[in-house]
Amino acid sequence: MQYNASNATLWNSIVQFGIISCALLVATLLRRKLPFVRQSLLPTSVLAGFLLLLARNTGVLHLDTIFLETLTYHGIAVGFIAMSLRVPRQRSAAERSAMTGAKSGALIVSCYLVQALIGLAISFALSYTVMPGLFKASGILLPMGYGQGPGQANNIGTSYEALGFTGGRSFALSLAAAGYLCACVVGVLYLNLLRRRGLIRTSTQPCAQDAVTVDDFQDCGEIPVAESIDRFSMQVVMVLAVYLATYLVSWGVDAGLSAIAPGLGTTLSPILWGFNFIVGSLMAIGLRSLFTGLKKTRIMTRQYQNNYLLSRISGVAFDLMIVAGIASINIEDLSGLWIPFLLMAAAGGIVTLLYLQRVCRRIYPDYYYEGLTSMYGMLTGTISSGVLLLRELDPGFETPAANNLVLGSGFGIAFGAPMLLLIGMAPKSDASVWLVFGLAAVYLALLLLFLCKAGKTRNRQED
């Protein structure tokens, strides 16, 4: 093997990580030295991502977009595995009975339906007025871009393009990119509005620091800081071991489905691998439960997880993921489709925020703003943008809001199954588009009924 610069395989990852690291250092300096940047509540990782996005699109820097997309994909899983390994606090009976995971899933899918109805209303209005040639089912790509992200947007957009929507793939991917930008820009503006109204508290002082005590860093019965293996090394080892198990389980399920039912395997494979962070979180919870059982039987006498260090691992993973996710954004060519794109992009961001303001107050009464901002970030961009907004309000992930993103996504797969039928029906004919519109409205009403009736909790937080 050659160890010089000609060996791109050897050095590419290091170079890309170095560029991301330098961008984070520059963004930290700007936030530290420029008061208007600091007071804007723009997260450092978001600022670094936009710096790299600007540098990439102006040709100043050459960035490997495949590497950036890979880092975003793995960063989500690693971050949530580290969070799920943490030893949880004891939940109250009210929290256990609130069905928060199921309600989060219903909320996510209901927001998809709201976005679909808004998108279809826009495509209907344009197709019957100023753009008679517009593909009427194009509006259903709004929840694919905003709610599902670039992966599903690409898949559905490509299939619609094959069914007659010229430029469907570019349209869907551009909506996904606009959604991510909406999550970062509108989300940060909304945080500033809440702060000016005195509804949230954030630290903007340059010398503000969080005090870390021994109780924060170490629980009773933990392994020593350093013995035959360093405590931090143990946390990294557990996270990577769980991620390896996640890969093996996902591969096994995918291979089994493909062998038994090839058609079903083809349908479920993108979902299985696209939501690998859910599988990883479940595997981490399983390992955590195994440790708890071994301690109860006295087979294991020490606690191997350290919540403080696991939080730091998730923090690093999320920071890198956010920078890479923003830096990899691509706005595709939208020849002839700028009007529906701009209308849907704007309406999607506004209506999603208004809808979540109403529903999140009922579902998350004790951490309303954390739940609202995290869900808004995820339902306009991806789960990574939900995390970046949440970290401005809950940097230590002390509220259940971050876990709700994972639990809700899991339940959302079940609640969202009927939407697959609607997406497949929509492009068949004009009549089918109207039928899909009506069915989406009915299903939205059923989900809202579920959200109102299931696991009622008292609203204890005012706007």
Side-chain angles (χ1 to χ4, degrees):
M1 176 185 290
Q2 293 183 346
Y3 296 99
N4 53 37
S6 63
N7 191 340
T9 303
L10 176 65
W11 285 104
N12 182 63
S13 297
I14 300 300
V15 171
Q16 300 300 315
F17 271 122
I19 292 173
I20 292 173
S21 301
C22 290
L24 280 167
L25 289 173
V26 171
T28 301
L29 180 63
L30 292 176
R31 181 164 170 140
R32 172 71 175 81
K33 296 298 184 181
L34 300 179
F36 73 91
V37 175
R38 185 169 60 252
Q39 293 170 3
S40 70
L41 295 185
L42 187 67
T44 301
S45 54
V46 174
L47 178 58
F50 280 123
L51 290 174
L52 289 183
L53 179 64
L54 177 64
R56 181 172 70 84
N57 283 280
T58 55
V60 174
L61 285 176
H62 172 71
L63 294 173
D64 186 344
T65 54
I66 295 177
F67 175 84
L68 295 176
E69 292 170 359
T70 301
L71 181 58
T72 303
Y73 177 79
H74 290 308
I76 295 173
V78 170
F80 278 106
I81 287 172
M83 285 181 55
S84 300
L85 280 172
R86 296 186 306 179
V87 179
R89 64 177 178 85
Q90 291 296 321
R91 296 191 302 162
S92 65
E95 288 177 315
R96 290 193 296 269
S97 63
M99 298 177 62
T100 306
K103 290 193 292 184
S104 296
L107 169 64
I108 290 170
V109 177
S110 69
C111 193
Y112 293 165
L113 292 167
V114 169
Q115 292 170 342
L117 291 172
I118 292 297
L120 287 173
I122 292 173
S123 61
F124 287 158
L126 292 175
S127 64
Y128 287 114
T129 55
V130 297
M131 298 183 67
L134 180 65
F135 195 70
K136 290 183 176 62
S138 60
I140 210 167
L141 292 174
L142 178 58
M144 294 299 100
Y146 270 44
Q148 287 283 297
Q152 289 290 4
N154 178 73
N155 294 339
I156 304 302
T158 301
S159 64
Y160 276 22
E161 191 168 291
L163 294 171
F165 182 21
T166 304
R169 178 182 177 275
S170 296
F171 185 78
L173 287 174
S174 296
L175 281 175
Y180 205 104
L181 293 174
C182 181
C184 297
V185 177
V186 177
V188 170
L189 291 175
Y190 185 63
L191 287 176
N192 277 277
L193 177 63
L194 294 177
R195 188 191 64 184
R196 285 198 296 269
R197 290 182 177 179
L199 298 175
I200 61 172
R201 293 182 179 179
T202 58
S203 176
T204 60
Q205 297 303 317
C207 57
Q209 297 180 0
D210 293 327
V212 178
T213 65
V214 174
D215 291 335
D216 295 322
F217 186 75
Q218 178 172 328
D219 291 334
C220 181
E222 278 195 43
I223 61 174
V225 174
E227 47 174 17
S228 57
I229 183 171
D230 186 84
R231 181 185 292 174
F232 182 70
S233 299
M234 177 58 69
Q235 313 309 306
V236 174
V237 165
M238 287 190 293
V239 170
L240 294 181
V242 169
Y243 201 19
L244 174 61
T246 300
Y247 167 77
L248 294 175
V249 168
S250 300
W251 173 78
V253 172
D254 189 13
L257 286 174
S258 299
I260 297 171
L264 181 62
T266 301
T267 301
L268 295 182
S269 180
I271 298 175
L272 178 65
W273 293 104
F275 288 90
N276 74 320
F277 64 91
I278 297 177
V279 181
S281 295
L282 293 175
M283 299 295 293
I285 292 171
L287 179 61
R288 193 182 72 203
S289 301
L290 175 63
F291 284 170
T292 300
L294 292 176
K295 287 189 69 177
K296 286 182 178 179
T297 58
R298 306 299 297 172
I299 295 176
M300 189 173 78
T301 58
R302 286 178 171 175
Q303 176 180 309
Y304 286 87
Q305 307 104 298
N306 180 278
N307 286 359
Y308 178 81
L309 294 178
L310 287 171
S311 295
R312 303 288 66 76
I313 292 174
S314 66
V316 171
F318 288 144
D319 278 330
L320 295 176
M321 169 197 66
I322 292 165
V323 177
I326 295 175
S328 63
I329 290 175
N330 282 312
I331 297 290
E332 303 286 328
D333 181 23
L334 289 173
S335 301
L337 294 172
W338 279 103
I339 293 176
F341 168 74
L342 293 174
L343 288 176
M344 289 184 196
I350 295 170
V351 173
T352 299
L353 179 59
L354 295 176
Y355 176 73
L356 290 176
Q357 284 177 326
R358 297 295 299 274
V359 183
C360 287
R361 188 177 301 283
R362 177 179 291 272
I363 302 177
Y364 312 124
D366 296 323
Y367 49 98
Y368 166 61
Y369 294 114
E370 290 85 354
L372 169 63
T373 54
S374 60
M375 281 293 174
Y376 180 76
M378 184 173 75
L379 290 169
T380 51
T382 63
I383 196 168
S384 63
S385 47
V387 170
L388 76 87
L389 293 179
L390 175 61
R391 290 183 69 189
E392 288 300 302
L393 299 182
D394 183 16
F397 302 114
E398 297 175 359
T399 68
N403 288 331
N404 290 342
L405 297 179
V406 179
L407 291 174
S409 297
F411 280 98
I413 294 174
F415 282 115
M419 281 201 69
L420 297 176
L421 299 176
L422 301 182
I423 293 167
M425 290 171 55
K428 294 185 181 299
S429 66
D430 289 357
S432 64
V433 180
W434 283 104
L435 177 60
V436 165
F437 188 90
L439 291 175
V442 171
Y443 190 35
L444 174 61
L446 293 175
L447 289 177
L448 289 175
L449 181 63
F450 171 78
L451 289 171
C452 290
K453 299 297 183 181
K456 285 187 176 180
T457 56
R458 184 181 177 186
N459 189 343
R460 290 175 286 178
Q461 185 166 346
E462 299 295 331
D463 189 0

